[in-house]
Amino acid sequence: MGRAFVYVILGGGVAAGYAALEFSQRGIAPGELCIISEEATAPYERPALSKGFLLPEAPARLPAFHTCVGSNDQRLTPKWYTEHGIELILGTQVKSADVNRMTLTTATGETISYKTLIIATGARALKLEEFGVRGSDAENVCYLRNLADATRLVNIMQTCNEENAVVIGGGYIGMECAAALVTNRIKVTMVFPEAHCMARLFTPKIADFYEAYYESKGVNFIKGTVLSSFENSSDGKVTAVVLRDGTRVPTNMVVVGIGIRPNTGLFEGQLVIEKGGIKVNGRMQTSNSSIYAVGDVATFPVKLFGNEFRRLEHVDSARKSARHAVSAILSPDKTSDFDYLPFFYSRVFTLSWQFYGDNIGEVIHYGDFLAGRFGAYWVNKSRIVGAFLEGGNREEYEAIAKAVKLKIVAQDKAEVEKLGVEFVTKV
Ligand code: FAD
Ligand code: NAD
Ligand code: ISD
């Protein structure tokens, strides 16, 4: 048995939703496109899962955050897909792919063929077991990647009011979940191996500000170490985490955010893999010209960084790379190479920051770190290549983005430091 489509999007996450919108806006015939997703839900804005979805008051729930509301575009409900003749094949895992036959085989044994395939399989959360720790399948240990995980996390949080949680990992998930737990009146201890939080992006000075803010909300940090094991009750729940130095931290629940791995497995040995992702060119086209890859799973050339290949794990990149691939497929002559400005952001408590570009070179901090109005520029070869700003307004964020895009000259360090965000709002 089998079905055939002209276009198949494999994966039904953020990138799939934005690709579907782009297909419909550029014009395809009903029945030409399908999306195959392991998840039982139409594409949604994954960032909502660690923010609005976890709020104790008026939490965000589907259908409110289906793509593409995250970029203030249309909200694509299941009805929208039906009305646009786009088939959603949900709750369906693809188990194998044959790029020569141009087919995918699902867990139920169905073969789905394509003329053009977009791989949008995203990534999976790394498990503690991959670092030699056992027992993260206990009923009060949570990971957070999809709606099912978020629903489970909410249910567990609701049983832990005024109790304790340990958060393992000091990256995006760790920081956003710790803030959500505190908002849900749960006492949090964060444990991570680095000297400060968000080590992939923050400087020690930036991290100091956020750590002090979290501490003011009651969060306790245990840095420079990892857990070695869990202690469990007779009914299997984790009751404490034991750290490498033997410290025991009692807890009622655990949230783990220790990074991700892109879902490339179906294509290993069939497509070129680079930096852990599926390598694509500036049209998001893989080493097989009928196959494109977008979002977290794609490693693409970043023009701004001299076409260095990067794999970015952020929603803006997923949205824009997906739209770009569809443009390259449907309007090849009018589509030039993807020219992407890397953009990361987060919102926790009443704080909100944005970062554009690359965090290499010398760092110039500016602003008032006590008042929470500060930022930083990364300067490489006398030019601004990265910019961070906490608590900015729309014009200011646009200005730092533009400064990075133009790589404006920043020779006088003292002047840059003194003017801060004004150094770029004048550009
Ligand atoms: P995904 O959105 O992960 O979608 C992949 C889809 O493919 C999933 O539906 C998956 O089930 C499906 N799939 C995988 N393999 C198969 C298979 N074999 N068969 C069928 N289906 C398959 N980024 C930001 O920039 N800002 C944020 O604030 C932010 N918040 C986040 C919060 C959370 C909780 C998480 C988990 C991520 C967050 N991110 C954020 C990252 C952002 O969500 C991702 O970069 C983005 O979702 C990537 O989109 P994608 O479509 O490539 O992958
Ligand atoms: P991450 O890469 O941001 O952070 C991983 C953290 O895990 C590291 O900072 C480190 O502290 C910790 N770690 C690594 N190995 C460990 C070990 N053995 N034991 C304990 N801790 C260890 O990954 P994440 O926080 O898991 O986030 C997952 C994905 O979700 C990422 O792609 C991220 O970009 C995305 N996300 C993004 C946002 C955002 O952009 N605002 C929000 C949530 C999630
Ligand atoms: O980019 C985002 C983000 O941070 C969210 O929370 O998209 C979602 C949507 O705004 C949820 O409605």
Side-chain angles (χ1 to χ4, degrees):
M1 66 170 178
R3 280 183 272 183
F5 294 87
V6 182
Y7 310 107
V8 170
I9 302 173
L10 170 54
V14 171
Y18 282 77
L21 182 62
E22 189 71 26
F23 269 118
S24 92
Q25 287 174 344
R26 285 180 182 270
I28 48 164
E32 282 189 331
L33 169 66
C34 82
I35 294 176
I36 313 172
S37 182
E38 208 168 8
E39 291 189 78
T41 319
Y44 56 85
E45 300 286 358
R46 206 163 296 281
L49 298 183
S50 53
K51 304 178 189 67
F53 196 87
L54 302 182
L55 293 177
E57 308 282 339
R61 290 290 179 267
L62 287 171
F65 60 95
H66 279 299
T67 55
C68 302
V69 295
S71 57
N72 297 320
D73 219 314
Q74 284 180 69
R75 184 166 59 101
L76 313 187
T77 59
K79 188 163 162 254
W80 181 91
Y81 290 93
T82 310
E83 285 169 358
H84 289 77
I86 298 170
E87 188 146 354
L88 285 178
I89 304 175
L90 301 178
T92 302
Q93 190 188 30
V94 168
K95 284 287 202 188
S96 65
D98 185 330
V99 305
N100 294 321
R101 292 188 174 175
M102 301 170 86
T103 56
L104 305 172
T105 305
T106 70
T108 56
E110 185 183 9
T111 299
I112 296 174
S113 65
Y114 59 83
K115 286 204 166 75
T116 300
L117 174 67
I118 299 182
I119 303 169
T121 46
R124 65 172 179 83
L126 280 169
K127 292 275 150 70
L128 280 169
E129 279 69 7
E130 295 169 70
F131 296 90
V133 177
R134 282 182 299 174
S136 81
D137 55 351
E139 70 178 73
N140 57 344
V141 177
C142 305
Y143 291 87
L144 181 56
R145 183 70 201 178
N146 56 34
L147 186 65
D149 296 336
T151 306
R152 188 167 167 268
L153 174 55
V154 167
N155 290 339
I156 294 171
M157 278 198 306
Q158 284 168 353
T159 67
C160 290
N161 198 263
E162 307 287 349
E163 294 185 331
N164 299 299
V166 170
V167 171
I168 308 290
Y172 287 94
I173 290 285
M175 293 302 280
E176 293 186 5
C177 287
L181 288 158
V182 168
T183 310
N184 280 275
R185 303 166 68 84
I186 295 168
K187 287 166 258 168
V188 177
T189 298
M190 290 188 71
V191 180
F192 50 83
E194 297 90 355
H196 64 78
C197 69
M198 292 290 292
R200 283 202 292 162
L201 178 64
F202 288 1
T203 64
K205 190 173 168 73
I206 293 175
D208 273 355
F209 168 80
Y210 292 98
E211 288 180 12
Y213 190 95
Y214 273 56
E215 278 165 350
S216 77
K217 299 279 180 188
V219 174
N220 175 35
F221 286 90
I222 303 179
K223 302 187 271 189
T225 190
V226 291
L227 87 163
S228 58
S229 61
F230 290 121
E231 276 181 17
N232 298 82
S233 60
S234 54
D235 62 358
K237 278 192 186 171
V238 167
T239 51
V241 302
V242 181
L243 308 182
R244 198 183 267 162
D245 66 359
T247 307
R248 191 177 161 276
V249 187
T251 194
N252 304 92
M253 65 178 287
V254 178
V255 179
V256 186
I258 55 170
I260 61 168
R261 277 288 174 278
N263 292 317
T264 55
L266 295 171
F267 299 95
E268 276 161 29
Q270 302 195 77
L271 300 176
V272 174
I273 306 285
E274 170 108 359
K275 294 185 174 169
I278 297 174
K279 187 177 184 182
V280 295
N281 60 20
R283 311 171 74 75
M284 312 313 291
Q285 199 169 27
T286 69
S287 49
N288 178 313
S289 61
S290 306
I291 306 180
Y292 294 70
V294 296
D296 281 8
V297 79
T299 303
F300 65 89
V302 181
K303 258 193 192 175
L304 193 70
F305 307 157
N307 280 328
E308 191 184 306
F309 280 82
R310 295 278 178 103
R311 195 182 57 72
L312 301 176
E313 301 174 353
H314 290 274
V315 75
D316 182 65
S317 155
R319 292 168 179 156
K320 289 181 178 155
S321 62
R323 298 193 86 139
H324 192 80
V326 177
S327 168
I329 292 164
L330 294 184
S331 311
D333 300 334
K334 292 189 194 141
T335 305
S336 46
D337 283 348
F338 194 35
D339 188 6
Y340 183 65
L341 171 64
F343 166 46
F344 316 147
Y345 68 88
S346 185
R347 297 189 301 273
V348 285
F349 299 113
T350 56
L351 305 174
S352 178
W353 59 260
Q354 297 193 6
F355 171 85
Y356 293 87
D358 206 3
N359 57 336
I360 55 161
E362 188 187 358
V363 187
I364 304 175
H365 296 98
Y366 64 83
D368 186 343
F369 278 74
L370 289 176
R373 276 279 301 157
F374 64 89
Y377 298 114
W378 279 257
V379 178
N380 197 27
K381 297 180 186 147
S382 300
R383 289 181 176 272
I384 292 185
V385 296
F388 179 97
L389 178 60
E390 164 61 46
N393 60 35
R394 208 184 71 194
E395 289 72 32
E396 290 168 337
Y397 285 131
E398 281 171 6
I400 63 166
K402 188 173 164 200
V404 174
K405 187 90 193 164
L406 297 175
K407 291 194 184 161
I408 66 165
V409 173
Q411 248 152 1
D412 184 344
K413 188 179 164 185
E415 188 202 10
V416 176
E417 198 175 325
K418 188 169 141 234
L419 288 177
V421 75
E422 278 175 35
F423 184 73
V424 298
T425 46
K426 296 180 310 183
V427 176

